[in-house]
Amino acid sequence: MKEFDLIGRYFAGGGHQRKDVLVGIGDDCAVTTVAENQHLAITTDTLVGGIHFFESAPAKSVAYKAVAVNLSDLAAMGAEPAWISLSLSLPKIDENWLADFAEGLYELTRYYSVQLIGGDTVHGPMAMTITAQGFIPPENALKRSTAKPGDWIYVTGTLGDAGAGLGILSGEIETTAQNRDYLVNRHYFPTPRVAVGTALRRTASSCIDISDGLLADLGHILKASGCGATVHVDRLPLSRQLTECLGEGKAREFALTAGDDYELAFTVNEEQRGHLETSLSSTNVKATCIGQITGHSGKLELKLEDAPYPMPSKSGFEHEF
Amino acid sequence: MKEFDLIGRYFAGGGHQRKDVLVGIGDDCAVTTVAENQHLAITTDTLVGGIHFFESAPAKSVAYKAVAVNLSDLAAMGAEPAWISLSLSLPKIDENWLADFAEGLYELTRYYSVQLIGGDTVHGPMAMTITAQGFIPPENALKRSTAKPGDWIYVTGTLGDAGAGLGILSGEIETTAQNRDYLVNRHYFPTPRVAVGTALRRTASSCIDISDGLLADLGHILKASGCGATVHVDRLPLSRQLTECLGEGKAREFALTAGDDYELAFTVNEEQRGHLETSLSSTNVKATCIGQITGHSGKLELKLEDAPYPMPSKSGFEHEF
């Protein structure tokens, strides 16, 4: 057995076993079945040590995040997660690190009934690529390109927390121990909004997950849909911890521009708006209306109590489509 | 647009367009359909610069190989390739390199009617992970675990060429310009045996692709099937170029132990043996019988004209299961 085949032992079996996995880890390919009335959603995300996470970060959080960002993409499409493949590149074998990594991975896959169906383990710089797959009924995919002028813009949870958590970890932000715990956890262990994504299938007109920051990601919806938007910064959902830590002005800036929250941003037309509360009632996740889609293609206006509000300098929003 | 989003422009559209891809590159996920009477085969392989390929290797060959090794895994399962996702990590943006890389990738995906459906481009060490997916009719998957004593062992093409190509590139092996071209090409541009894999669906009793060397990979079949094997080294298919370059003895050693050929090793029972020629007639690929599966679990015997032949020291074969 080669040194790096050893890594595979930490993932042998794949954790949660699904009936739709006919061949799991250990052959040239996994073999699975897809139900007749389902389409398949597929996404891939890579995290590189030193770029997407601190190499000193707890291994459990690294694995958790690597899975979460992929499940978040499935959620943003309205898909129900099913299987993941993991490619793990490591400079050396540290058995404690691997045990913690496997624990973080399986914590999330167990919760969402996802099976690890295969992958690759190689010697190289610390990095991991996960491909995640899930199911969507035909015509239910939540695309970026289908927002319409007049649709209301919503976001789940609170924004900016993960960015503040990163600032705390890198020593740029100081706060109380309690706020630190909350914000750093939001950075290390983002919650993929899987239940919200599937609940929105027939209600939302478009959807994206917030990985690069609200303005950047809302910009993707506007670009794909050929629309503009007005966002009211006084309606941005902020956690008490973020506001205590940064003050209201800076908290709003983080909510607009900081990445890694993995909340969903979605649009709902006037007719469906009345169904939204019912759709989300089973999810225990709050969604907040923060603005409205406009017909001004490529224009994103910020407002504070109906007065213009300046665009943060590093908004990540592309004005020129 | 971020610097690394630029990379995505080289892959925009995904090349060959398939009708079963409903949403391609550019949303949170791809969305695809799987026909009712098909199972899905899924595989992931990672290549790291400096470990799996020379960073100075032609970008076209790097892309070609990254796709080929994944299609080879599908072939070894008997699957027909359909879609790939690409995660590409690069230390810097070199537009010429990217254009060549895209050319190598699309050359192979066009040939096999495979669509690039998404992926990720990140700043990091040079590395790439491809996840490939394909279709197999139910009950047709070619597993490693289903070889039986008495089955005949076959390999496609010729063995050891890619290993010699690597030796030439690293300066350890010298040969004529013509042999060099042939062997280095076998290293840079391995041919995934896709047509053979699908042709073997009802004929082979087990199958694997030769990535780590014949003995190591045949060992995986033996381990999974709980069998042993006898391999006749005088029956190993060797290219004229390899024998000219290394001499017969060393050529046999390379055929037994060198990796990266991406030929298929498979087993066929006595009853199906008569159908093999017919099954492979449309593929233009020659398969050579090199030995037989035995009931001696974990035992792999080499023979030369029926006399015992010593196991090469770096065989990659695991004696202890």
Side-chain angles (χ1 to χ4, degrees):
Chain A
M1 176 163 284
K2 289 185 191 172
E3 188 192 28
F4 270 78
D5 291 344
L6 275 170
I7 295 176
R9 291 203 174 167
Y10 287 88
F11 307 104
H16 177 80
Q17 302 289 304
R18 294 176 59 98
K19 286 186 182 163
D20 53 17
V21 177
L22 308 176
V23 178
I25 292 172
D27 215 307
D28 295 298
C29 298
V31 180
T32 64
T33 60
V34 177
E36 278 180 38
N37 57 345
Q38 297 285 332
H39 286 166
L40 196 63
I42 305 161
T43 184
T44 297
D45 261 309
T46 296
L47 302 186
V48 178
I51 290 172
H52 300 98
F53 60 91
F54 296 113
E55 296 204 6
S56 59
K60 190 178 163 181
S61 75
V62 174
Y64 194 100
K65 192 159 191 167
V67 177
V69 302
N70 278 281
L71 299 190
S72 178
D73 278 325
L74 291 179
M77 211 73 195
E80 180 198 336
W83 322 304
I84 59 168
S85 309
L86 165 71
S87 164
L88 184 58
S89 168
L90 292 174
K92 64 180 168 69
I93 293 180
D94 174 338
E95 302 216 5
N96 289 329
W97 193 95
L98 275 165
D100 288 349
F101 186 90
E103 190 188 329
L105 185 132
Y106 283 134
E107 184 175 318
L108 211 46
T109 58
R110 262 195 310 271
Y111 185 81
Y112 289 107
S113 302
V114 166
Q115 184 168 344
L116 177 69
I117 55 169
D120 198 6
T121 50
V122 299
H123 185 263
M126 191 184 283
M128 59 220 63
T129 297
I130 287 179
T131 299
Q133 309 201 50
F135 304 131
I136 320 176
E139 314 301 330
N140 276 205
L142 296 172
K143 300 185 199 172
R144 299 177 177 182
S145 56
T146 38
K148 295 260 177 336
D151 289 356
W152 300 96
I153 304 167
Y154 284 81
V155 293
T156 58
T158 58
L159 302 183
D161 295 336
L166 177 64
I168 291 167
L169 286 168
S170 61
E172 289 159 28
I173 295 173
E174 289 188 2
T175 187
T176 62
Q178 273 189 327
N179 289 343
R180 178 191 163 89
D181 283 353
Y182 174 82
L183 296 167
V184 166
N185 259 321
R186 289 271 290 165
H187 171 77
Y188 275 153
F189 300 101
T191 304
R193 297 300 188 189
V194 170
V196 175
T198 54
L200 288 175
R201 281 172 181 168
R202 290 163 181 280
T203 309
S205 58
S206 72
C207 188
I208 195 168
D209 67 327
I210 303 176
S211 53
D212 297 333
L214 173 64
L215 294 178
D217 290 312
L218 182 58
H220 293 313
I221 286 184
L222 301 185
K223 183 177 179 178
S225 299
C227 295
T230 303
V231 169
H232 297 272
V233 296
D234 45 322
R235 298 186 201 161
L236 292 169
L238 306 173
S239 69
R240 177 184 52 76
Q241 291 87 345
L242 185 74
T243 314
E244 277 183 19
C245 171
L246 296 178
E248 198 171 51
K250 196 80 181 164
R252 282 174 179 157
E253 189 189 314
F254 269 60
L256 290 168
T257 63
D260 279 352
D261 279 321
Y262 298 99
E263 298 293 347
L264 297 182
F266 60 94
T267 58
V268 179
N269 69 25
E270 183 64 33
E271 194 189 332
Q272 288 294 328
R273 203 181 183 190
H275 304 304
L276 184 60
E277 204 167 321
T278 315
S279 297
L280 295 185
S281 59
S282 64
T283 67
N284 270 329
V285 177
K286 199 182 166 208
T288 306
C289 182
I290 60 165
Q292 200 167 13
I293 298 292
T294 67
H296 306 295
S297 179
K299 195 172 176 195
L300 203 167
E301 282 185 299
L302 301 181
K303 290 200 168 172
L304 176 63
E305 289 165 8
D306 294 326
Y309 186 87
M311 182 70 68
S313 54
K314 289 184 183 173
S315 70
F317 174 69
E318 296 165 31
H319 294 269
E320 291 167 30
F321 290 166
Chain B
M1 176 164 284
K2 289 184 192 173
E3 188 190 27
F4 269 76
D5 290 344
L6 275 170
I7 295 175
R9 290 201 175 169
Y10 287 88
F11 306 104
H16 177 80
Q17 303 289 304
R18 294 176 58 99
K19 285 186 182 163
D20 53 17
V21 177
L22 308 176
V23 179
I25 292 172
D27 215 308
D28 295 297
C29 297
V31 180
T32 64
T33 60
V34 177
E36 277 179 38
N37 57 343
Q38 298 285 332
H39 286 165
L40 197 63
I42 306 161
T43 184
T44 297
D45 260 310
T46 297
L47 302 186
V48 178
I51 290 173
H52 300 96
F53 60 92
F54 295 113
E55 297 205 6
S56 59
K60 191 179 163 181
S61 75
V62 174
Y64 194 99
K65 191 159 192 168
V67 176
V69 303
N70 279 282
L71 299 190
S72 179
D73 277 325
L74 291 178
M77 211 74 196
E80 181 199 334
W83 323 304
I84 59 168
S85 309
L86 165 71
S87 164
L88 183 58
S89 168
L90 291 174
K92 64 181 168 68
I93 293 179
D94 174 337
E95 302 217 4
N96 290 329
W97 192 94
L98 275 166
D100 289 348
F101 185 90
E103 191 188 328
L105 185 130
Y106 284 133
E107 185 175 320
L108 210 45
T109 58
R110 262 195 310 271
Y111 185 82
Y112 290 107
S113 302
V114 165
Q115 185 169 342
L116 176 69
I117 55 169
D120 198 7
T121 50
V122 299
H123 185 263
M126 191 184 283
M128 59 221 61
T129 298
I130 286 180
T131 300
Q133 309 200 51
F135 304 131
I136 320 176
E139 314 301 331
N140 276 205
L142 296 172
K143 301 185 198 174
R144 299 177 178 183
S145 56
T146 39
K148 295 259 177 334
D151 289 356
W152 300 96
I153 304 168
Y154 284 80
V155 293
T156 59
T158 57
L159 302 183
D161 296 335
L166 178 64
I168 291 167
L169 286 169
S170 62
E172 289 158 27
I173 296 173
E174 288 188 2
T175 187
T176 63
Q178 274 189 326
N179 289 344
R180 179 192 162 90
D181 282 353
Y182 174 82
L183 296 168
V184 166
N185 259 321
R186 289 273 289 165
H187 171 77
Y188 275 154
F189 301 101
T191 303
R193 298 298 189 191
V194 170
V196 175
T198 55
L200 289 174
R201 281 172 181 168
R202 289 164 182 280
T203 308
S205 58
S206 73
C207 188
I208 194 168
D209 67 327
I210 303 176
S211 53
D212 296 334
L214 172 64
L215 295 178
D217 289 312
L218 182 57
H220 293 314
I221 286 184
L222 302 185
K223 183 176 179 178
S225 299
C227 296
T230 304
V231 170
H232 297 272
V233 295
D234 45 320
R235 299 188 199 160
L236 292 169
L238 306 174
S239 68
R240 177 184 54 76
Q241 292 87 346
L242 186 73
T243 313
E244 278 183 19
C245 171
L246 296 180
E248 198 171 51
K250 196 79 180 165
R252 282 174 179 159
E253 189 189 315
F254 269 60
L256 290 168
T257 63
D260 278 353
D261 279 321
Y262 298 99
E263 297 293 347
L264 297 182
F266 59 93
T267 58
V268 178
N269 68 25
E270 183 64 31
E271 193 190 332
Q272 290 293 329
R273 203 181 183 191
H275 304 306
L276 184 60
E277 204 167 319
T278 316
S279 296
L280 296 185
S281 60
S282 63
T283 67
N284 270 329
V285 177
K286 199 184 165 208
T288 306
C289 183
I290 60 165
Q292 201 167 13
I293 298 291
T294 67
H296 306 295
S297 179
K299 194 172 177 195
L300 204 166
E301 283 185 298
L302 300 182
K303 291 201 168 171
L304 176 64
E305 289 165 6
D306 294 327
Y309 186 88
M311 181 69 68
S313 54
K314 289 185 184 173
S315 71
F317 173 69
E318 296 165 32
H319 293 268
E320 292 168 29
F321 290 166

